[in-house]
Amino acid sequence: ALLLTARTMTEAAGILERMLAATPHGQSFSAGLARWDGVQSAPDLLHLADQRLYASKDAGRARITGDQPSPEGARSGQAPQVTAAVPAKSSVTGA
């Protein structure tokens, strides 16, 4: 688990993308990115991140799955889920 404070979802995803790019030859990782809503418990937040981790793996691995609020989502209280594949580099391959 990685806890990033005072970061937007975009900044957190950027940090994870740089970590993935720096992963040693022949290795990769997937990540589930979740934002604390200010009320949910730590176990609930970890469960959400874990669900997104497995969604990343199911979508092809070497991915980061999270949520990114949109203006519509902010008004409705919902945030659409987005999945971004991190571009593979010669040093980042495999599963």
Side-chain angles (χ1 to χ4, degrees), residues 9 29 48 67 78 83 85:
M9 290 296 279
F29 69 88
L48 178 58
D67 65 313
Q78 298 176 352
T83 302

Side-chain angles (χ1 to χ4, degrees), residues 12-82:
I15 290 167
L16 289 170
E17 288 170 2
R18 290 190 300 278
M19 290 173 64
L20 186 57
T23 303
H25 296 284
Q27 300 176 21
S28 70
F29 69 88
S30 294
L33 187 58
R35 178 196 315 248
W36 183 56
D37 66 6
V39 238
Q40 68 198 141
S41 67
D44 287 344
L45 179 61
L46 288 172
H47 179 72
L48 178 58
D50 192 51
Q51 287 178 319
R52 292 179 177 167
L53 165 64
Y54 282 98
S56 289
K57 290 181 176 187
D58 290 342
R61 300 181 185 248
R63 295 173 184 266
I64 300 163
T65 302
D67 65 313
Q68 182 173 345
S70 66
E72 298 81 21
R75 284 192 294 273
S76 69
Q78 298 176 352
Q81 184 169 326
V82 296

